[in-house]
Amino acid sequence: MTAATVTRRAGSVAALLAAATLLTAGCDDGSGKPPREARSTSAARHPATRSPSGQATSGTFNSTDIGWLQLMIAMDDQATLLLDLVPDHAFDAGVKKWAKPVATAYRDELVQSRRLLARAGVPDTNPHRGHDMPGMVTDDELRTIKGTKGAAFDTLFLAAIREHLDQAAKIAHSQRSAGADPAAKRLAARVEKTSLTRRARLPKAVAHAATTTAR
C-alpha cells in the first residue's frame, strides 16, 4: 500500500455533508446493504424527536448540524486511532512532536461533539461504520499503516492525516453555512480553523535508510 492508495480522490463536500444528514435512511458503503449501526463506547443513548423527513432533531439543531456531528465523530474516532500509532511506529521526531498535542486535542473535540449530540437528543451511534469516504481513515488503512514502522509509517500516516484534515476543514466550512445551532456552528468554526492550522504545520515525510516494515 502506497501513500497514493491511502489518499483517496476527494468527493463533493456539499454532497458528503448532505449524505451525512440522511441518517435514518442509512449511508451506502458501496455494498448495496444498509450499514451496521455501531454503538459508540463513550456516551449513553438519548431519545430523539423526528422531523417530517425522519431526521432526528431537537431544539435549535437542524439535520445538517446532526449529520455533521455524527460524521465528524466517526472521522475523529478513526483519526485518533491513527494518531495513537505514532509514538511506537513513527521515525521522524517532527511527526511525533506534531501528533502528540493533536491526539489530545481530538479527544477534547470528541467530548464536545458528543455533548452537543446528546443535547440534540440523538443516539450516540456511528452510522458511518465501515464506510470508505473522503477524510475517513478506514479499518483496512489502519491495519496496513499499523503494519509499518519508521519512514514507511511516516509517509502513510502523513498522507492519511492530511486527507482527514483537508476534508474536516471543508465539511466544517459547509456546516457553518448550512447548520442552525449556534454551539454546533461555533464548534465547526474551531474545527475549520484548527484543521487548517494543523495542516499547515504538518511535517513532511523524510526518507531514511532505517525505514522498516513490520513482519
Side-chain angles (χ1 to χ4, degrees):
M1 186 177 188
T2 65
T5 304
V6 174
T7 306
R8 296 180 299 275
R9 182 173 56 193
S12 166
V13 175
L16 182 60
L17 188 54
T21 67
L22 303 178
L23 304 180
T24 57
C27 297
D28 183 9
D29 62 2
S31 66
K33 299 178 182 179
R36 176 172 59 85
E37 186 181 76
R39 176 71 171 89
S40 175
T41 59
S42 64
R45 293 177 181 272
H46 298 270
T49 56
R50 299 283 169 180
S51 69
S53 66
Q55 172 62 56
T57 59
S58 177
T60 58
F61 293 85
N62 66 11
S63 59
T64 299
D65 293 318
I66 295 166
W68 175 73
L69 285 167
Q70 292 216 4
L71 178 57
M72 285 310 305
I73 288 170
M75 288 173 60
D76 285 356
D77 268 336
Q78 293 296 102
T80 300
L81 294 175
L82 177 64
L83 287 160
D84 285 345
L85 296 175
V86 172
D88 293 332
H89 291 258
F91 163 75
D92 186 66
V95 171
K96 293 181 180 181
K97 182 178 180 180
W98 180 91
K100 185 175 181 179
V102 173
T104 300
Y106 267 46
R107 288 185 170 85
D108 292 340
E109 185 178 297
L110 281 165
V111 169
Q112 296 175 57
S113 297
R114 287 187 164 111
R115 186 178 295 130
L116 286 172
L117 198 64
R119 184 161 67 78
V122 179
D124 183 13
T125 58
N126 183 356
H128 301 287
R129 179 78 177 182
H131 290 187
D132 184 359
M133 60 181 69
M136 182 74 75
V137 183
T138 68
D139 290 340
D140 285 343
E141 286 173 346
L142 279 171
R143 281 191 291 270
T144 298
I145 298 172
K146 188 176 181 179
T148 64
K149 285 192 175 184
F153 171 87
D154 293 348
T155 299
L156 295 180
F157 166 78
L158 290 170
I161 202 69
R162 184 181 299 113
E163 181 188 344
H164 170 82
L165 292 169
D166 286 344
Q167 198 67 17
K170 292 174 183 177
I171 295 172
H173 183 80
S174 294
Q175 154 64 12
R176 290 174 56 201
S177 299
D181 181 73
K185 294 178 76 169
R186 286 195 297 271
L187 178 59
R190 290 198 298 272
V191 168
E192 181 180 7
K193 181 179 180 179
T194 57
S195 294
L196 292 172
T197 300
R198 291 165 185 159
R199 175 67 166 83
R201 296 175 178 173
L202 199 64
K204 296 185 182 297
V206 178
H208 193 272
T211 300
T212 58
T213 302
R215 302 298 186 194

